[in-house]
Amino acid sequence: MRQEIIEYLLPLNDEETEALGNALKVDRNLYMEGGRDVVRAEKILEKGRTVALRPHTRLVHFPLHSHSYVELIYVIEGKMVHYINNRKVEVKKNEILLLGEGVEHEIEKTGVGDIAMNVIIHPSFFSSLLSSSVSTFDSALQRFLLDTMKGKENSGYLHFFVEKEIPILNLMENLTWAYVRKEGQESQVYPLTLSLLFRHLLSATAEAEIEDREKSILRRSLSYIRDNYKNGSLEELALLVALSPSALSRKLKRETGKTWTELVQEKRMENAVWLLLNTKERVD
């Protein structure tokens, strides 16, 4: 990354300076509307545009939230720590994190030297991209983007380790340079550069950590059973993962070999055994 870019992004911006005087809390009004913890595309994207860039706000802890858009995060210097569906994901220099629309995550407070660029992408951006090159997409990335294009919320993520992929690094530098220069052609430069970037990312998918919607649903289901085996219900879990109870029941049986009832009963038995061995509590 050009030194001029780093020198431009390193000083604290107005939002970060304001955060210092506000107990390092994120200003919800800048990103969200109402009581929902959903960052709205309309808050960031100018009308008629499908792509926007903005540096990640440092010195602030971002609590659990989701987006109404796809977000690509590129770490220029330092690192970032995300918690995605309760899983810690550390993104280091020259790595890319792609977050699906609707994914729930939180971000640890970063330091002054942790510089990252957020690329906000409206789902409609992927229509032309997929229609021209759908046959060349890796299945995981294709499914990820097709879900986005069809308006389905994708609760997964893709973490690309591209520190040795020179064409990808060059394209990210070009995107960031266009943001820094602000020459008035961002509406053309951003989408064109991003289209090239995604085509290169396809060949780098083998160097990515991928958690797609299917894996995410299973992990969230098992986590829910672990935390709610006493009073949880299949119907409540189905709402959380956006499936019908019958579809979720079939998925659990297919993936684990056990029914919902069997999984809950197994967790109850595990807890009862632990209580007998480690406490004097009565086990009902």
Side-chain angles (χ1 to χ4, degrees):
M1 188 66 69
R2 298 184 191 183
Q3 189 60 33
E4 302 101 298
I5 293 177
I6 296 173
E7 290 176 358
Y8 179 87
L9 297 174
L10 187 57
L12 297 183
N13 59 33
D14 292 342
E15 183 183 350
E16 291 162 340
T17 303
E18 178 68 21
L20 284 173
N22 190 34
L24 305 180
K25 292 182 179 180
V26 64
D27 184 352
R28 289 175 49 88
N29 294 325
L30 293 175
Y31 306 100
M32 305 171 191
E33 293 179 345
R36 296 190 64 195
D37 294 324
V38 180
V39 181
R40 307 300 307 175
E42 306 82 56
K43 287 278 190 175
I44 303 173
L45 283 167
E46 293 183 22
K47 187 175 181 179
R49 293 194 177 184
T50 58
V51 181
L53 268 68
R54 68 187 313 276
H56 174 73
T57 303
R58 297 162 292 176
L59 306 176
V60 169
H61 167 256
F62 281 78
L64 191 66
H65 65 283
S66 61
H67 309 126
S68 67
Y69 52 83
V70 174
E71 185 171 33
L72 184 150
I73 301 161
Y74 175 66
V75 176
I76 297 171
E77 290 286 332
K79 67 178 182 179
M80 295 177 67
V81 176
H82 294 249
Y83 293 91
I84 308 172
N85 298 327
N86 297 316
R87 182 178 184 181
K88 183 177 180 180
V89 180
E90 186 174 290
V91 189
K92 300 177 182 177
K93 179 179 178 179
N94 291 334
E95 295 177 359
I96 290 174
L97 182 66
L98 184 65
L99 295 170
E101 181 183 4
V103 66
E104 291 187 339
H105 70 126
E106 64 177 299
I107 311 171
E108 283 188 1
K109 181 181 71 174
T110 53
V112 174
D114 299 315
I115 303 173
M117 184 60 68
N118 296 337
V119 184
I120 290 82
I121 312 168
H122 193 279
S124 62
F125 166 82
F126 297 103
S127 299
S128 59
L129 179 68
L130 289 173
S131 62
S132 63
S133 56
V134 66
S135 62
T136 66
F137 273 74
D138 172 86
S139 58
L141 184 52
Q142 179 188 24
R143 185 165 59 249
F144 187 97
L145 297 180
L146 281 173
D147 280 352
T148 297
M149 187 182 71
K150 293 177 182 177
K152 296 181 180 179
E153 288 194 350
N154 192 321
S155 58
Y157 68 89
L158 291 88
H159 183 185
F160 292 94
F161 305 95
V162 293
E163 62 274 8
K164 296 181 181 179
E165 301 287 340
I166 301 303
I168 292 175
L169 299 183
N170 286 341
L171 286 166
M172 284 308 310
E173 181 175 289
N174 291 343
L175 265 177
T176 310
W177 184 245
Y179 169 84
V180 169
R181 293 293 297 271
K182 291 183 173 61
E183 295 179 338
Q185 300 183 28
E186 294 87 354
S187 61
Q188 291 82 36
V189 173
Y190 288 172
L192 288 173
T193 307
L194 196 60
S195 294
L196 289 173
L197 177 69
F198 271 105
R199 285 174 171 81
H200 281 284
L201 281 175
L202 296 172
S203 62
T205 303
E207 297 300 322
E209 176 182 309
I210 299 171
E211 179 175 63
D212 60 21
R213 176 174 168 77
E214 297 302 308
K215 292 180 181 178
S216 175
I217 288 174
L218 178 60
R219 189 167 53 76
R220 292 178 72 188
S221 297
L222 296 177
S223 177
Y224 174 88
I225 292 171
R226 181 195 66 219
D227 297 334
N228 302 277
Y229 64 88
K230 290 184 178 180
N231 301 307
S233 68
L234 178 64
E235 290 72 21
E236 182 180 53
L237 175 58
L239 285 173
L240 292 174
V241 299
L243 287 177
S244 68
S246 58
L248 177 58
S249 180
R250 290 193 299 270
K251 179 175 179 58
L252 289 174
K253 179 66 174 179
R254 183 173 64 250
E255 297 290 342
T256 69
K258 300 173 184 177
T259 65
W260 159 264
T261 301
E262 290 170 337
L263 288 168
V264 171
Q265 188 61 32
E266 182 180 77
K267 185 55 61 178
R268 286 174 177 165
M269 290 298 296
E270 287 179 4
N271 185 65
V273 170
W274 187 91
L275 289 174
L276 286 170
L277 293 176
N278 297 279
T279 73
K280 294 182 179 181
E281 288 186 30
R282 178 180 173 181
V283 178
D284 296 321

